[in-house]
Amino acid sequence: MSENTIFIEFHEALAKLSHSQDFINDNRERKLTLLTELVSRLLNAGRVSVWQLNTARNQITSEILFVAKPGSTTGTVDTTSSVLNSTDNPAYFEALTTARVIDASSARSDPRTQAFTKGYFDVLDIHSLLDAPIFDGSRLSGVVCIESHTLRRWTLPEISFVIAIADTISLINTHDNWQRSQRQLDYVTHYDSLTGLPNLQSIRERLTQLIRKSRTDDQRRITLIWIDLDRLKTVNDGLGATAGNMIIAEIANRLRSLYVKGRDKLARIGGDEFALLLRNAESDCTVSDALQRIQSCINEPIHVENRTVSMTASVGVCHYPVDGQDGEALLRSGETAMYHAKSSGRAQIQYFNADIDTSARSRFVLESELRNAIRERQLEVYYQPIMDTKTGRFVSNEALVRWHHPERGWLSPIEFLDVARNAGLMLELGNAVIERVCEHRREAARRKQPMAPTAVNLASEQVLDDQLAHKIGKTLRQYGVNGNELHFEVTEDAIKGDSNTLKTSLNALVALGCQLSIDDFGTGYSSLSRLKHLPFSKLKIDRSFIQDIPADKDDCAITLSILGLARGLGMQVVAEGVETEAHKHWLEAEGCDHLQGYLFSRPLPFEQLLQSFPVAVDALS
């Protein structure tokens, strides 16, 4: 038989095998078995094996071995791994990485393979070897090895055939890796890495499927439950992000194990947000039962970082088709209902309706406008003077942000701070206020009109920013303002975590020369131990305790206790909300250091402050 005929016969056999549907659908091990069997039969080879090369190219490991039975076309398959190292066989590994084929007709004397003789060829009675490299894409990944128990000179058709076998295995490698990458891509696209739950994209696709199906099934109801964990940021700030992730994972496991009638799909759709789809929950009682189960499982105490943490969730509920005609609309309705639940006091459940939709749209517009106002430096600062009771002089003032809305006119903080907080804008807003105050102080200095120190409120988001002092110091230098010209006020809620970041930020502000006050004292969670270890020099009594003195004995008692506490800690006291002469006289008599309120002045714009409350130079000393 001519070599041409043999060449064609070999390649026809390979094509017939590799193009068969059974082969294409087989797994990798079965494909390699069939290929090694084919080579052994057509080449009458005693042993045919496939080896994998490690990424360092210094070791090959057998993946599959077909051993022919003497005098037979059948044999046995061995998947037991054997290992060969480059240190013992350097010439072979060099040839493997450079040659297209290793044709070792006399393997025991061939310089590339003779190192195998003692420990391998002698043991297995191998005399001739034919190897062809296997690739994974462009990377050398292994070798297909043909071994003969007799000396033989490999013919051109045989060499060509073995190279074709190696190329076929290379294509299998490439295809397998493509499938693996597709599975990995599908996982990344559709699943959350922390919890293993489906993600937002996955629930979007599932909603589309359910809605399409429901349209051909009398529009049976689909319920979307949007779950948002309350105050997870507080946990992250107090215990660290790792603890926060542990809580998210624990809640995910609880929700995953929760039995809910009609349950279809659970997903993690955001940092602390989950969504649950219910199918055919025709009864409101069914949905109500699901909501109770969800809240109960979330409310169970969680043990993390040697502490017990209790979590709650704000939940929004909406239904297809009444609350949305497609998946995106339904998701918007669920999120809108959840935000309304959160704004209602947290740990609440809110069903979607048209009224909250209108409110949410208005809120979204306001958020967008506020974001633009901050970016375009459209926020203004008003100042309310603060009087020293001993000298009767106005020795400082408090900066209060105002927003001149193009349609609504002047807006006070109560009208937009909650929007800013929920939109994650508090850092930007706080920085804008500090910059505007420094800008005013520079202008006052340019006019040679002394300006009393200004107290600026710091949001909890600012206090827990580890770059806070750095940012403020940079702004002070930019506008030529000294640190002692600014006082900063922090609410009790902002310091309840008592974290290292908090302490570091506050001490760094004091190092800049700034003074610190606790704002709205008496309404939060301060303790003596916490106050003792933080660098505050003033307490501001909340206006709610001032408005009914001296007539309300309880408010008088509370105010007196705060004054006594401040004296014990060596701190000064500022009383807010002083509106009557009775307020003023009582507070002066009881030794309150500073007074602030409408009795003296409403908050004033910068120009009016300079005109109405000029400050003598000696008042600043």
Side-chain angles (χ1 to χ4, degrees):
M1 189 180 297
S2 68
E3 285 194 346
N4 285 348
T5 303
I6 295 172
F7 179 92
I8 293 171
E9 183 181 294
F10 284 171
H11 284 272
E12 282 182 343
L14 175 58
K16 182 179 179 181
L17 172 64
S18 61
H19 288 85
S20 70
Q21 199 61 44
D22 288 343
F23 181 88
I24 292 171
N25 293 332
D26 263 334
N27 59 38
R28 176 183 175 82
E29 183 177 327
R30 179 60 181 162
K31 287 177 181 177
L32 295 184
T33 299
L34 292 172
L35 288 171
T36 53
E37 285 179 343
L38 179 66
V39 173
S40 178
R41 175 167 55 82
L42 294 182
L43 269 59
N44 192 27
R47 294 165 58 88
V48 182
S49 55
V50 177
W51 300 68
Q52 289 184 332
L53 179 69
N54 66 352
T55 54
R57 295 191 175 190
N58 60 8
Q59 186 181 85
I60 56 173
T61 304
S62 63
E63 186 174 2
I64 195 164
L65 167 67
F66 181 83
V67 181
K69 292 181 180 179
S72 171
T73 58
T74 62
T76 59
V77 177
D78 185 3
T79 56
T80 305
S81 295
S82 300
V83 179
L84 297 173
N85 296 302
S86 62
T87 52
D88 301 325
N89 310 282
Y92 174 80
F93 274 82
E94 175 65 24
L96 182 63
T97 57
T98 57
R100 184 67 182 92
V101 65
I102 299 176
D103 173 7
S105 296
S106 180
R108 298 182 182 216
S109 59
D110 191 298
R112 298 168 296 181
T113 58
Q114 62 184 0
F116 291 129
T117 300
K118 185 174 182 181
Y120 187 82
F121 292 155
D122 282 348
V123 174
L124 298 173
D125 190 28
I126 304 300
H127 291 274
S128 294
L129 177 146
L130 179 61
D131 283 3
I134 297 169
F135 293 86
D136 179 358
S138 61
R139 182 183 67 85
L140 179 66
S141 65
V143 63
V144 57
C145 179
I146 320 301
E147 297 166 334
S148 173
H149 296 302
T150 61
L151 281 170
R152 62 187 287 180
R153 184 172 298 279
W154 303 105
T155 66
L156 186 59
E158 290 171 337
I159 294 172
S160 173
F161 181 58
V162 171
I163 291 174
I165 291 291
D167 288 344
T168 301
I169 297 173
S170 296
L171 289 173
I172 292 171
N173 287 342
T174 302
H175 180 69
D176 286 352
N177 281 335
W178 178 82
Q179 287 186 317
R180 187 159 48 249
S181 68
Q182 288 299 109
R183 288 193 295 269
Q184 291 171 344
L185 177 61
D186 181 71
Y187 184 86
V188 170
T189 304
H190 292 91
Y191 290 87
D192 169 55
S193 59
L194 174 64
T195 64
L197 289 175
N199 61 13
L200 179 58
Q201 178 62 26
S202 181
I203 211 160
R204 277 194 179 112
E205 294 177 5
R206 182 56 179 161
L207 266 173
T208 300
Q209 294 170 359
L210 291 176
I211 290 172
R212 186 183 300 119
K213 184 177 179 181
S214 71
R215 285 171 178 164
T216 61
D217 190 20
D218 298 326
Q219 291 198 331
R220 304 188 75 180
R221 189 165 72 166
I222 301 165
T223 300
L224 169 67
I225 300 174
W226 191 299
I227 305 161
D228 183 282
L229 302 182
D230 296 328
R231 302 188 184 279
L232 185 67
K233 185 180 185 303
T234 302
V235 175
N236 286 334
D237 292 339
L239 300 180
T242 300
N245 285 339
M246 292 172 67
I247 287 174
I248 290 171
E250 172 62 20
I251 296 295
N253 286 333
R254 292 181 182 184
L255 292 173
R256 184 188 283 113
S257 303
L258 189 66
Y259 170 75
V260 175
K261 188 176 181 180
R263 171 175 172 158
D264 181 87
K265 196 178 194 74
L266 170 70
R268 182 189 180 202
I269 55 177
D272 56 359
E273 295 173 295
F274 300 87
L276 178 64
L277 293 180
L278 304 182
R279 281 186 298 152
N280 307 330
E282 301 294 349
S283 167
D284 288 336
C285 292
T286 302
V287 176
S288 178
D289 178 68
L291 294 171
Q292 289 178 12
R293 289 173 180 268
I294 289 168
Q295 291 283 40
S296 295
C297 89
I298 291 174
N299 293 346
E300 285 291 323
I302 299 173
H303 302 287
V304 57
E305 300 287 343
N306 297 319
R307 300 201 183 184
T308 300
V309 179
S310 295
M311 299 298 295
T312 61
S314 300
V315 180
V317 186
C318 60
H319 303 292
Y320 170 84
V322 294
D323 298 329
Q325 293 293 317
D326 56 45
E328 287 303 316
L330 206 62
L331 286 166
R332 284 195 302 271
S333 296
E335 185 178 25
T336 298
M338 178 278 294
Y339 275 122
H340 197 272
K342 192 172 287 289
S343 66
S344 300
R346 306 178 191 276
Q348 303 292 315
I349 295 170
Q350 175 66 56
Y351 286 80
F352 180 82
N353 61 60
D355 291 339
I356 68 171
D357 185 39
T358 301
S359 173
R361 290 176 188 274
S362 175
R363 190 181 186 89
F364 175 79
V365 171
L366 190 64
E367 175 188 319
S368 178
E369 292 171 339
L370 177 59
R371 195 181 300 275
N372 183 69
I374 294 172
R375 183 172 58 249
E376 300 297 327
R377 295 169 55 86
Q378 295 172 358
L379 298 181
E380 192 51 82
V381 172
Y382 277 36
Y383 299 88
Q384 187 171 34
I386 300 174
M387 188 193 80
D388 186 308
T389 56
K390 294 183 179 64
T391 65
R393 286 177 169 176
F394 291 94
V395 292
S396 63
N397 52 71
E398 180 180 0
L400 300 165
V401 65
R402 296 290 187 268
W403 176 18
H404 190 263
H405 191 277
E407 296 176 1
R408 306 185 192 186
W410 285 105
L411 300 181
S412 64
I414 196 172
E415 297 176 90
F416 60 86
L417 282 186
D418 189 47
V419 173
R421 179 162 285 110
N422 287 329
L425 295 174
M426 291 303 291
L427 278 176
E428 291 88 339
L429 190 149
N431 292 337
V433 170
I434 294 170
E435 188 168 336
R436 189 65 170 148
V437 167
C438 289
E439 191 175 34
H440 281 159
R441 300 193 72 84
R442 181 176 65 181
E443 176 61 19
R446 188 188 68 79
R447 299 182 191 180
K448 295 184 169 46
Q449 291 182 265
M451 191 173 175
T454 297
V456 181
N457 292 281
L458 292 178
S460 58
E461 291 85 349
Q462 292 175 275
V463 176
L464 295 172
D465 178 9
D466 58 5
Q467 294 297 307
L468 174 66
H470 171 74
K471 293 175 182 176
I472 291 177
K474 183 178 178 180
T475 302
L476 292 174
R477 291 190 296 273
Q478 178 183 348
Y479 289 94
V481 176
N482 293 322
N484 60 11
E485 296 181 53
L486 295 187
H487 300 172
F488 289 104
E489 299 181 359
V490 183
T491 63
E492 286 187 90
D493 280 351
I495 65 170
K496 66 181 180 182
D498 200 20
S499 66
N500 289 330
T501 300
L502 169 71
K503 292 179 181 178
T504 302
S505 293
L506 295 181
N507 285 320
L509 289 177
V510 172
L512 290 174
C514 307
Q515 291 187 31
L516 301 179
S517 304
I518 298 179
D519 196 16
D520 299 337
F521 188 79
T523 63
Y525 304 90
S526 290
S527 66
L528 288 174
S529 60
R530 183 157 49 238
L531 294 178
K532 187 172 63 176
H533 293 99
L534 294 175
F536 291 102
S537 57
K538 290 181 182 177
L539 298 181
K540 294 194 75 174
I541 305 176
D542 185 68
R543 65 183 68 250
S544 63
F545 300 119
I546 303 299
Q547 61 186 5
D548 292 327
I549 62 171
D552 189 303
K553 301 307 179 185
D554 289 336
D555 285 345
C556 288
I558 292 172
T559 302
L560 287 172
S561 68
I562 293 174
L563 289 167
L565 170 64
R567 292 190 191 100
L569 293 172
M571 301 169 71
Q572 293 187 322
V573 177
V574 180
E576 295 183 294
V578 179
E579 298 182 356
T580 68
E581 289 292 338
H583 292 163
K584 176 177 179 290
H585 294 320
W586 189 89
L587 289 164
E588 285 178 336
E590 297 301 337
C592 185
D593 302 288
H594 302 284
L595 306 179
Q596 175 185 355
Y598 283 4
L599 177 64
F600 311 109
S601 175
R602 290 178 176 272
L604 302 172
F606 170 64
E607 294 290 349
Q608 193 173 342
L609 177 78
L610 294 185
Q611 294 171 12
S612 303
F613 293 91
V615 179
V617 174
D618 64 336
L620 300 176
S621 60

